[in-house]
Amino acid sequence: MSRSVFKVVAEPHPDRASRVEELKRLGFSWADIGEELYWLDQAVAMERSAYEELMNASASLWSVFDRAVRYLHGNRGFYPLIGIPPVLWDMIDGEPLPDEPLISRYARFDFAIDEEGSIKLLELNADTPTGYVEASIATPWVCAQTGLSTPNGEMASLVAAAWGEEQPDTAACVAYGEHLEDSGTIEAMVKHSGLDIHCRDCLELYVDDGQLMDGEGRNIRRMFALYPKEWMAVDDGGDALAYAIETGQLKLFNPPASILLQSKGLLAVVWGLYELGQLFTEQERETIERYMLPTYNRPVFEGDFVSKSMFGREGGSVRLFGPAGELELEDRDGYDTSVMFPSVYQKRAQLARIETSEGELHLLTGVFVINGKPCGLLGRAGGPITGNASQFIAIGVK
């Protein structure tokens, strides 16, 4: 067996409680969730050559997806094919696209990287990725103690640069103050922005004559929302929120067009255009061929494949099928959004397996793209499907 590009280093500290308290002081307050250990007190060392290729792949793929969205934007014949709810169409088309490469200023790629370093893109969360605190705060802290270098230290300054341009007056998430991860995420980003920004619960917000108001009666004009835009199609008041954006009374960040990047249906569009020899340059085609997986809106595979909702999150709706098309595994913990949105079908890829204090786990590698720049690694370890039950483990570079 060849040597893996990943190696787990360090053993868990005997005094976990004090380390959990230190992380809480830094802003990572969900290292333990009840009796469950979310944070694995170890680190994964990634070979530098593999890391450098991963960063180059991320930058190249970001350009590919930017080109694809500019091709789709305003072409409503594509919107149903990638699952975009009609209530969002006017909102998406009503604003000009941001300059390249800023359709989304806050995004995360998720990659399957096997032991030998083969890199395959699984998906892009270009709307509401979490894991920011784990990557920007906890990972540099762990890497400093384990002698690994980290690219993640730049994440805070890139958020400051992005938000300095966007100038949001409010940051919001659902169940602010109660949901530790989402609350901690927007609080960390507000802190890193250096701006005076109010944090609010999405559930306290309401629209009055096209104006978004908070529970104190304050008019919100510019908002960063850790709120999936596709939920406007199903939530009470979603159409009113879309109207506030359409009429220019609210600027939302990430901007409306980020949902075109967010849809996993875009993976199928990119792959289809690649197969047809359309749109992309020769260099972009080489990027697609090397780092993307065949993805379609129908299960046309003869071998192993995966199905997932175009707007599934945290592993919800993911199903793994075997060589004969038989269902092997599905995520029963996450919310199955495939009942509301269409699915895509993707060739399966192998995740590296790592030996941790919790046993052998599969490693999913995330790469944040902030203000248009790949800048941070996020490690999550768990089963073949990386869902809510997965654990965070820091990834550094050796």
Side-chain angles (χ1 to χ4, degrees):
M1 180 178 178
S2 60
R3 186 181 69 174
S4 175
V5 299
F6 296 109
K7 181 181 179 181
V8 175
V9 298
E11 292 297 324
H13 195 280
D15 186 6
R16 178 181 176 88
S18 66
R19 290 167 68 76
V20 168
E21 284 301 312
E22 175 64 12
L23 286 169
K24 184 181 295 186
R25 186 186 68 79
L26 294 172
F28 178 36
S29 61
W30 55 99
D32 286 346
I33 304 175
E35 299 298 318
E36 299 294 325
L37 276 61
Y38 169 59
W39 165 56
L40 294 179
D41 184 11
Q42 294 178 279
V44 174
M46 185 179 192
E47 288 189 352
R48 182 162 296 277
S49 59
Y51 158 73
E52 291 173 351
E53 182 182 356
L54 178 62
M55 291 295 105
N56 289 333
S58 298
S60 297
L61 285 165
W62 190 249
S63 295
V64 165
F65 279 81
D66 184 272
R67 183 186 292 273
V69 167
R70 294 179 193 281
Y71 177 75
L72 296 185
H73 185 246
N75 189 338
R76 295 190 174 186
F78 280 104
Y79 290 3
L81 298 178
I82 62 173
I84 306 298
V87 70
L88 304 183
W89 292 5
D90 288 343
M91 180 185 79
I92 293 169
D93 293 346
E95 292 187 13
L97 289 177
D99 293 339
E100 184 182 354
L102 301 175
I103 293 175
S104 168
R105 288 188 185 265
Y106 173 58
R108 191 192 72 229
F109 285 117
D110 283 341
F111 289 98
I113 306 177
D114 66 18
E115 280 86 355
E116 296 180 354
S118 174
I119 299 168
K120 295 296 183 184
L121 175 66
L122 297 179
E123 58 191 54
L124 169 62
N125 187 333
D127 189 19
T128 59
T130 52
Y132 178 80
V133 174
E134 294 93 315
S136 68
I137 294 175
T139 293
W141 182 80
V142 171
C143 287
Q145 296 179 9
T146 53
L148 299 174
S149 62
T150 175
N152 295 26
E154 193 179 8
M155 293 176 69
S157 63
L158 288 169
V159 164
W163 287 34
E165 293 289 332
E166 295 164 352
Q167 291 291 312
D169 56 64
T170 303
C173 68
V174 175
Y176 175 68
E178 299 177 18
H179 192 286
L180 291 178
E181 182 179 9
D182 288 359
S183 301
T185 296
I186 65 170
E187 287 173 349
M189 296 183 78
V190 166
K191 180 179 179 180
H192 290 168
S193 77
L195 302 176
D196 183 16
I197 298 174
H198 300 271
C199 291
R200 292 291 184 264
D201 186 343
C202 289
L203 300 179
E204 78 169 69
L205 307 181
Y206 63 97
V207 177
D208 182 15
D209 195 25
Q211 296 186 339
L212 184 65
M213 313 295 290
D214 68 12
E216 298 175 356
R218 182 178 62 90
N219 180 208
I220 297 171
R221 300 291 300 172
R222 304 175 71 85
M223 182 172 70
F224 173 85
L226 204 65
Y227 168 79
K229 294 177 179 62
E230 70 268 17
W231 287 103
M232 292 187 204
V234 294
D235 282 348
D236 291 340
D239 54 347
L241 179 59
Y243 176 75
I245 298 166
E246 291 164 19
T247 55
Q249 298 183 77
L250 172 67
K251 292 286 289 185
L252 195 63
F253 307 103
N254 284 310
S258 65
I259 197 166
L260 300 176
L261 280 172
Q262 171 70 34
S263 171
K264 296 178 184 64
L266 187 63
L267 298 167
V269 170
V270 169
W271 190 260
L273 291 169
Y274 160 76
E275 288 193 323
L276 292 171
Q278 297 180 3
L279 186 64
F280 300 112
T281 66
E282 188 59 36
Q283 184 176 0
E284 289 168 336
R285 288 177 54 78
E286 291 174 2
T287 294
I288 294 166
E289 180 178 16
R290 182 165 186 171
Y291 298 118
M292 290 188 66
L293 294 160
T295 308
Y296 304 95
N297 59 6
R298 293 182 294 113
V300 297
F301 299 99
E302 295 181 357
D304 302 347
F305 69 94
V306 180
S307 72
K308 46 185 141 181
S309 168
M310 291 185 182
F311 291 107
R313 298 168 190 259
E314 299 294 338
S317 83
V318 175
R319 295 176 175 86
L320 305 183
F321 295 86
E326 75 281 12
L327 178 63
E328 285 189 353
L329 185 65
E330 62 182 313
D331 185 339
R332 296 183 178 274
D333 296 322
Y335 183 72
D336 184 4
T337 58
S338 64
V339 298
M340 297 183 294
F341 304 105
S343 294
V344 294
Y345 303 86
Q346 185 181 67
K347 189 71 175 174
R348 281 175 67 169
Q350 295 298 315
L351 297 170
R353 299 187 183 193
I354 55 174
E355 287 292 341
T356 74
S357 58
E358 297 296 301
E360 184 182 76
L361 299 173
H362 296 77
L363 178 67
L364 183 74
T365 305
V367 176
F368 279 90
V369 182
I370 301 178
N371 214 30
K373 182 177 181 180
C375 59
L377 300 175
L378 175 67
R380 285 178 292 165
I385 298 174
T386 308
N388 279 325
S390 64
Q391 296 169 285
F392 158 60
I393 187 167
I395 300 177
V397 183
K398 63 178 180 180

